[in-house]
Amino acid sequence: MREYAEDQLVLAAAQQEATTGGLSPEEFRARLVAARLSHPLTDHVYSLRAARIKYVPFQFRPLLRLARADEPRLLIADDVGVGKTIEAGLIMKELAARQPLDHVLVLCPKALTVKWREEMRRFDEDFRVLDSSSLRYCLNEAHLEGAWPGEYRRAIVHYELFARTAYLKGDAKRKKDKGLRELDPPPTFDLVIADEAHHLRTPGTNSHELAEYLSEISTAVVLLSATPVQTHARDLFTLLNLLRPDLFPDRQTFFEVVEPNRHLNAAVRALRSGAPEAAKEALKALDTAAYTSWGRQAIAIDPRYDDVRRRLDAVTLTTDDRVRCVREIEELNTLAPLVNRTRRRDIGGFTIREPHTVSVPFTPVQRHFYDRLLEARRDQLLTRYNPVVVRLILDTLERQASSCLPALARRIVAAGEPAITDLTDAPEAQPDDDPPRLPLPTDPDLRELARLLPPDDPKLQRLLQAVSEARTVDGPGKLLVFSFFLGTLDYLAEHLTAAGVRVGVVTGRVVEPDRQRLRDRFRLDRGNADAVDVLLSSEVGCEGLDYEFCDRLVNYDIPWNPMRIEQRIGRIDRFGQRSPKVLILNFVTPDTVEERVFYRCWDRLDLFRDTVGDLEGVLGEMTQDLAAIATSPDLTPDQMEERARQLADNAVRLVAETRGVEDASQDLLGLDDSLTQDLDALVEEGRAVTEQQLEELVRAYLTRPPLSGQLDRLSEDELRLRLPQSARSELLAAINRNEARLGGGRPVQQLRHWLNEKDSGLRLTFSDEAASRDRSVTFLTATHPLVRLAVSALAPAQDQQLRAQLRVVDPDLPEGRYVFACDTWETIAVRPEFRTMSFVVDAARLTASKIVERRLFALLANALPGDGGPAAGPQEAGAALDSYAEQRRRDAARDAHALNQVLLARRTGSLEAHHQRALQRLNDRLTDQAEPRIRTMLTAQRARIVRDFDRRREQLEERRRVDIVSHRIAEGVLTISHAH
């Protein structure tokens, strides 16, 4: 007698009709990949090498953490430079492969809007930056249609705009213009990404209220912040409360939940030290964690706690046991499912920054012109404009004068009132409404001084010297030059070209394909005739592109925003920089506002040498104060300098305090290395969809009837697709039928465009390296519409099983004949999962083969046709396989039940703790209250709290039952030999 799971019972006749047998290896693999993509799996990664970026394993840690969480909510607290933007993009690609991702919203500071737009193009996503008019349009459309408009399905909006009361809560003067909170029904977002999330940490502000409401109406939420703990652990609570108010309803619950973490992290540090008493110290710390208030509720009942205790208490602790203990203790960290923390010092691969000050004084004539300019601008502007406009104009003129006096002289001679957008493309300088005009000084004497300004320019000469020095030393010999002003860049391009320097200019005015071509020419060896030696960039010109091949950077003017320093230097100080150090040349003109106020402050704070993104919260307010000093018409130069020095003194103290708090926060957050190891294991076991698998899938779909296309290989990693007209029409019809599922993003639009053309062929690649080299080539990933159409066409139906007889050559595995099966497991629990499980049994011994099983998917990727024996394998082996698979399912269900109890205990503990505190506060108020009317109101409020608690507790109890539903999708015979 044998037992079968209910879902294994199928009518014999129906099973015979539903089974697909004798598939070729190529078709078997293609259809198996289609099955794995048709219902995305918890234990697979679909975004591996799915973007036009360099593959960096640690950047997949947040993605793996989110995939294993019971709710798609995550705080990425990585250091500056680790790549939080890329990590968020990978999460977006992974979610897009797993579920519909119709609407994605990115929130960030204004200065980062263009950066986000350009970075997302690496993922073949076109995001639109919202200004005041487009945001108002979106809100009005959502009010009228009940949904966020499709043309803004991928949107970026800055905090300073969306947090305005008119857009958040509505405009009392314009009743028809609704705020986000007034929309009924509210729009829904499938993913919200909030960058620099420390801007949201102050409850009661519009920014915090905006994030809180977006979290309520969104499916997935990802917060990014290098400083989740700015001044106190309660900062971290505020962010986690935004993500998971059910787990962290109040501060007291938060502090109880995180209390065990410092002990768990102490246990991990002890084990990693390898000291003789490490196991004893780790066990003591582990037990201390379990005896805390929260530890008794959630850790002591966790089966992983018992497993670690048993191993640590053993007579000897093997290396494998120690590694497993570290992993399981890290998983016990109460913030592990919600917070990812990767630090620069823990991953290496970064370079040393070596800043140098290049001080270039004005000539006497330039100094006279500069001083006369400052006098004229104040006299003219203070009599004509309101203070806000005056400050903007003074700011812009002062900065342009310090950046490049000859370029400003040209503008003054030309006269007129240029818009701010004519002067710079920096996002933070762009107004959300109509750009104001900036009247230039009209004093005739000043215009005459500008016209007669001599052509000799010592600052330009010093730049030419830096170009020559770069050519004479070892290294790439390239120079990346930044300026805030477009006029400065035009001036430098003209004069460098005249001096025989090969120059490229990248600004917001340059379209993306041209920007990439310039970057590629800049990458070329300097001996190449087509190479560029100097690349001149505006603040946004280099966004979205990497320049790790360049090791010299020039700040031709000094940013007034310290975050701009980081963004400039970050273009070359990136993971993978080839040089051991990068040279930062800071050009400053003595006795200008830029030098006296800003440069001295930034230099004292060491912002050109160290990463500063983790201090943005400290420096943000200081930047505003410095700008006010720099543009004040009431301060003398000496007074400006003294006020700036005082601000710098305060900033140095705050920076030291902030970094001290941040270091102490590691007791809360810990560091998890196991996720990177998990990624390696997923790749080794074939649980990541590879380029080869996607190519086989797409080839099977496109080259067979009814499409009957032709897929020719142009190079090792590039192909050309040719389709007859009938196939083009068929594909267009398929896109139209599946429009809701495919979405309306860039890949769909590009595919439609090609199908409607009489083009000779479509260049495409499955390689992330090829796609990064050439952004014009079509990049096919798991979420591309061609791949999704292939999945729909080739995935087996619910009642089908794929069968094949295969063979592989592998000298590292035992020779023999094996029967295998691939089942899907759907876990029904608090944390639902959908996984593909492989089972392998040695057909001769009738025993499970774990070593082959672990590598089954990887082996199938290179399998050849089998030797022609019975497709189903010996009957006894098939029975042993079924019995083994069922026993594994039951064991897994038992483990899932134990884990479910832990997750329920955590949620129930948070719920009960919050409930008891709320009741206690009400009871205290009732005790002190004598007024009958107030007592009646408080009694009713207490009754509502009790009812709400009972309802939520009942909902949790309904999720206590755990089950794993199994479904067979493929089976076959695999013969392994050591030689062909």
Side-chain angles (χ1 to χ4, degrees):
M1 295 284 292
R2 291 185 57 208
E3 292 184 352
Y4 291 89
E6 181 179 355
D7 62 294
Q8 289 181 296
L9 301 178
V10 182
L11 289 176
Q15 182 173 344
Q16 185 176 5
E17 294 173 0
T19 299
T20 303
L23 296 176
S24 68
E26 294 79 15
E27 185 170 359
F28 180 80
R29 284 194 292 266
R31 300 193 66 184
L32 183 58
V33 169
R36 292 161 63 189
L37 287 172
S38 63
H39 196 314
L41 307 160
T42 308
D43 60 342
H44 278 53
V45 174
Y46 298 95
S47 55
L48 192 73
R49 300 187 182 280
R52 301 174 190 265
I53 59 173
K54 180 180 179 180
Y55 171 63
V56 181
F58 66 75
Q59 290 181 337
F60 286 82
R61 287 179 182 173
L63 179 157
L64 293 174
R65 199 179 298 279
L66 188 77
R68 297 173 182 181
D70 57 322
E71 295 286 346
R73 304 293 174 100
L74 186 68
L75 168 61
I76 302 179
D78 297 351
D79 276 352
V80 172
V82 169
K84 292 187 290 296
T85 311
I86 296 299
E87 290 171 339
L90 290 170
I91 286 174
M92 178 181 63
K93 292 293 284 188
E94 188 73 20
L95 289 176
R98 294 175 177 274
Q99 63 195 45
L101 210 62
D102 295 328
H103 293 99
V104 180
L105 180 69
V106 173
L107 295 168
C108 64
K110 189 174 183 178
L112 300 183
T113 51
V114 175
K115 168 185 167 64
W116 270 95
R117 185 189 68 195
E118 298 304 320
E119 291 288 352
M120 290 303 98
R121 285 178 175 167
R122 298 171 182 254
F123 300 89
D124 284 342
E125 293 281 2
D126 278 330
F127 277 74
R128 301 180 69 174
V129 178
L130 301 184
D131 57 16
S132 57
S133 60
S134 53
L135 177 57
R136 172 48 58 201
Y137 168 78
C138 289
L139 292 171
N140 288 346
E141 284 295 298
H143 174 55
L144 295 173
E145 304 296 332
W148 198 258
E151 59 266 44
Y152 290 96
R153 59 190 295 271
R154 299 287 189 268
I156 301 169
V157 60
H158 61 86
Y159 294 121
E160 300 93 322
L161 178 63
F162 213 161
R164 292 182 189 173
T165 300
Y167 300 110
L168 178 61
K169 303 174 185 179
D171 190 339
K173 297 180 181 178
R174 297 174 59 89
K175 296 291 186 182
K176 68 182 184 66
D177 287 345
K178 301 295 182 183
L180 176 66
R181 299 216 60 159
E182 295 181 299
L183 299 179
D184 187 16
T188 57
F189 295 97
D190 301 291
L191 172 63
V192 169
I193 300 169
D195 195 9
E196 305 290 352
H198 45 267
H199 288 285
L200 313 173
R201 68 175 184 267
T202 307
T205 61
N206 276 9
S207 295
H208 182 271
E209 185 177 345
L210 169 66
E212 190 175 46
Y213 189 63
L214 286 172
S215 184
E216 291 176 13
I217 63 176
S218 304
T219 304
V221 179
V222 177
L223 305 182
L224 314 180
S225 176
T227 52
V229 184
Q230 188 76 61
T231 58
H232 194 275
R234 58 177 171 265
D235 296 333
L236 180 59
F237 158 71
T238 304
L239 297 179
L240 294 180
N241 174 259
L242 287 173
L243 287 173
R244 294 296 300 272
D246 57 328
L247 296 182
F248 303 99
D250 52 55
R251 289 182 183 177
Q252 190 167 340
T253 301
F254 165 76
F255 286 115
E256 288 180 8
V257 170
V258 301
E259 184 185 3
N261 289 352
R262 59 193 181 96
H263 306 295
L264 295 173
N265 292 328
V268 168
R269 287 194 295 269
L271 289 172
R272 284 181 172 160
S273 72
E277 299 295 314
K280 186 181 296 184
E281 292 179 22
L283 182 58
K284 181 180 178 181
L286 180 67
D287 285 342
T288 304
Y291 294 152
T292 61
S293 173
W294 187 256
R296 289 192 296 272
Q297 296 181 62
I299 295 177
I301 64 171
D302 195 311
R304 291 169 295 193
Y305 168 71
D306 291 331
D307 182 63
V308 173
R309 281 201 94 263
R310 179 179 55 80
R311 294 174 188 276
L312 294 179
D313 211 17
V315 176
T316 58
L317 184 69
T318 66
T319 300
D320 288 343
D321 282 341
R322 183 172 60 83
V323 171
R324 178 163 180 170
C325 285
V326 167
R327 176 195 180 90
E328 292 190 338
I329 294 172
E330 287 175 337
E331 290 174 352
L332 289 173
N333 187 301
T334 56
L335 297 183
L338 273 170
V339 182
N340 188 87
R341 179 65 162 160
T342 304
R343 309 187 72 181
R344 287 170 67 107
R345 67 184 182 218
D346 296 312
I347 57 178
F350 291 93
T351 188
I352 298 170
R353 298 179 178 184
E354 186 178 293
H356 292 268
T357 301
V358 181
S359 182
V360 186
F362 282 137
T363 65
V365 176
Q366 286 179 332
R367 169 57 64 183
H368 176 63
F369 176 59
Y370 175 81
D371 293 339
R372 184 70 188 86
L373 173 68
L374 297 191
E375 293 172 9
R377 65 174 188 167
R378 287 188 174 90
D379 295 343
Q380 175 186 345
L381 296 173
L382 288 176
T383 61
R384 293 179 53 190
Y385 297 95
N386 68 56
V388 175
V389 176
V390 168
R391 176 164 292 184
L392 175 63
I393 297 171
L394 294 183
D395 179 338
T396 306
L397 287 176
E398 165 61 35
R399 297 183 70 176
Q400 174 71 84
S402 299
S403 172
C404 184
L405 202 61
L408 178 58
R410 288 181 177 181
R411 283 204 175 272
I412 292 175
V413 170
E417 295 189 352
I420 187 68
T421 51
D422 297 327
L423 302 180
T424 181
D425 58 11
E428 64 268 32
Q430 308 304 312
D432 294 307
D433 306 305
D434 293 334
R437 313 303 293 187
L438 299 181
L440 297 170
T442 56
D443 182 285
D445 293 338
L446 183 67
R447 291 184 64 184
E448 183 65 12
L449 284 175
R451 189 179 66 81
L452 297 176
L453 192 69
D456 56 309
D457 183 1
K459 193 172 183 182
L460 172 65
Q461 294 304 315
R462 186 61 186 85
L463 179 63
L464 286 168
Q465 183 181 337
V467 173
S468 298
E469 291 169 354
R471 289 171 172 171
T472 58
V473 298
D474 291 337
K478 308 286 184 176
L479 218 57
L480 180 57
V481 181
F482 278 97
S483 175
F484 184 81
F485 291 97
L486 301 176
T488 299
L489 297 176
D490 292 339
Y491 170 85
L492 292 179
E494 174 188 335
H495 287 79
L496 288 175
T497 301
V501 180
R502 297 176 295 184
V503 177
V505 181
V506 285
T507 69
R509 302 173 295 190
V510 181
V511 296
E512 183 183 0
D514 291 342
R515 290 172 61 234
Q516 182 179 335
R517 279 191 285 272
L518 281 170
R519 193 276 306 263
D520 293 342
R521 290 181 59 198
F522 192 43
R523 184 195 295 270
L524 293 174
D525 185 89
R526 54 187 171 185
N528 191 302
D530 198 35
V532 164
D533 300 317
V534 176
L535 190 64
L536 303 173
S537 176
S538 67
E539 301 294 11
V540 304
C542 286
E543 294 291 11
L545 297 172
D546 296 335
Y547 295 85
E548 72 283 347
F549 53 86
C550 175
D551 60 3
R552 291 181 176 232
L553 181 144
V554 172
N555 287 312
Y556 201 74
D557 42 44
I558 303 302
W560 287 25
N561 180 345
M563 298 310 297
R564 277 287 166 213
I565 298 171
E566 186 61 45
Q567 288 156 30
R568 288 181 178 185
I569 299 175
R571 302 327 304 167
I572 65 172
D573 181 13
R574 306 185 66 79
F575 187 83
Q577 165 60 244
R578 301 170 186 176
S579 300
K581 68 179 181 181
V582 293
L583 204 63
I584 314 298
L585 303 177
N586 297 309
F587 278 52
V588 294
T589 303
D591 296 322
T592 58
V593 172
E594 179 179 277
E595 187 266 345
R596 284 195 305 266
V597 176
F598 290 94
Y599 179 72
R600 293 184 189 181
C601 282
W602 303 157
D603 190 46
R604 179 146 184 238
L605 290 167
D606 228 2
L607 302 190
F608 299 101
R609 189 180 304 274
D610 294 332
T611 57
V612 302
D614 55 340
L615 304 174
E616 196 271 345
V618 172
L619 297 176
E621 186 174 340
M622 177 188 179
T623 303
Q624 297 176 16
D625 293 339
L626 286 175
I629 293 172
T631 56
S632 172
D634 303 321
L635 297 177
T636 66
D638 289 341
Q639 290 171 332
M640 285 185 184
E641 188 173 336
E642 175 59 22
R643 291 283 297 277
R645 188 190 61 77
Q646 292 170 358
L647 284 175
D649 289 343
N650 290 333
V652 168
R653 177 180 53 81
L654 288 173
V655 164
E657 292 175 0
T658 298
R659 284 179 166 157
V661 171
E662 195 273 342
D663 287 338
S665 72
Q666 295 313 301
D667 277 343
L668 293 177
L669 302 175
L671 180 69
D672 189 350
D673 289 329
S674 62
L675 289 170
T676 307
Q677 298 163 8
D678 288 353
L679 180 65
D680 295 339
L682 286 172
V683 173
E684 182 182 352
E685 295 168 12
R687 295 184 181 275
V689 178
T690 65
E691 301 167 14
Q692 173 192 337
Q693 291 168 340
L694 286 179
E695 181 177 336
E696 285 187 334
L697 170 67
V698 172
R699 187 179 290 277
Y701 172 60
L702 294 175
T703 61
R704 299 176 188 177
L707 298 179
S708 302
Q710 187 174 339
L711 204 56
D712 301 320
R713 186 165 297 282
L714 300 178
S715 64
E716 182 181 355
D717 49 18
E718 188 175 326
L719 302 98
R720 174 177 284 125
L721 171 64
R722 301 175 187 270
L723 288 176
Q725 188 57 46
S726 60
R728 290 173 179 251
S729 301
E730 175 68 27
L731 268 182
L732 279 171
I735 291 173
N736 293 333
R737 288 194 304 270
N738 295 275
E739 189 166 9
R741 188 168 57 87
L742 297 177
R746 174 193 277 194
V748 173
Q749 295 169 3
Q750 290 177 334
L751 183 58
R752 280 184 189 276
H753 179 74
W754 177 74
L755 289 171
N756 282 310
E757 280 188 340
K758 306 299 181 187
D759 193 82
S760 59
L762 177 68
R763 289 172 52 242
L764 57 87
T765 185
F766 297 90
S767 163
D768 58 330
E769 293 183 1
S772 297
R773 287 196 307 269
D774 183 358
R775 291 196 182 183
S776 66
V777 67
T778 299
F779 184 27
L780 268 60
T781 68
T783 59
H784 192 277
L786 272 180
V787 175
R788 288 185 161 174
L789 291 174
V791 168
S792 297
L794 297 178
Q798 180 67 23
D799 57 350
Q800 279 188 323
Q801 289 180 15
L802 307 174
R803 292 196 179 201
Q805 189 171 3
L806 308 166
R807 63 182 173 87
V808 296
V809 176
D810 194 316
D812 297 326
L813 295 174
E815 287 187 307
R817 189 179 180 84
Y818 300 87
V819 291
F820 68 88
C822 299
D823 292 359
T824 58
W825 279 6
E826 182 179 7
T827 303
I828 302 169
V830 170
R831 182 190 293 170
E833 292 185 334
F834 198 88
R835 295 182 289 165
T836 294
M837 303 300 298
S838 58
F839 309 102
V840 177
V841 166
D842 188 315
R845 298 181 176 82
L846 302 183
T847 56
S849 176
K850 294 286 188 181
I851 187 172
V852 177
E853 182 175 289
R854 189 165 52 249
R855 293 186 52 202
L856 180 64
F857 288 120
L859 292 170
L860 294 178
N862 299 300
L864 302 171
D867 56 11
Q875 185 174 359
E876 297 84 356
L881 181 69
D882 290 340
S883 177
Y884 167 57
E886 173 58 14
Q887 186 58 52
R888 286 272 306 278
R889 187 188 73 87
R890 294 186 178 187
D891 292 344
R894 184 185 64 246
D895 294 341
H897 175 77
L899 179 59
N900 201 58
Q901 296 302 104
V902 174
L903 295 175
L904 279 174
R906 290 180 178 178
R907 292 197 179 189
T908 302
S910 292
L911 179 63
E912 288 181 345
H914 179 61
H915 174 66
Q916 292 301 325
R917 278 190 287 274
L919 278 184
Q920 185 61 50
R921 286 193 296 267
L922 275 176
N923 289 335
D924 292 343
R925 291 180 65 188
L926 275 167
T927 301
D928 299 336
Q929 185 56 247
E931 173 64 40
R933 184 177 61 83
I934 302 297
R935 287 185 60 85
T936 300
M937 183 182 67
L938 292 175
T939 301
Q941 186 178 350
R942 182 173 62 181
R944 285 196 301 273
I945 288 176
V946 171
R947 286 196 302 271
D948 182 62
F949 170 75
D950 291 340
R951 176 182 57 81
R952 295 174 67 183
R953 179 68 183 264
E954 184 177 342
Q955 290 174 344
L956 286 175
E957 288 300 319
E958 288 173 355
R959 304 177 75 174
R960 193 169 293 279
R961 182 178 177 273
V962 176
D963 194 11
I964 295 180
V965 179
S966 175
H967 174 69
R968 179 71 45 90
I969 58 172
E971 59 185 23
V973 177
L974 179 67
T975 302
I976 297 177
S977 60
H978 289 173
H980 288 284

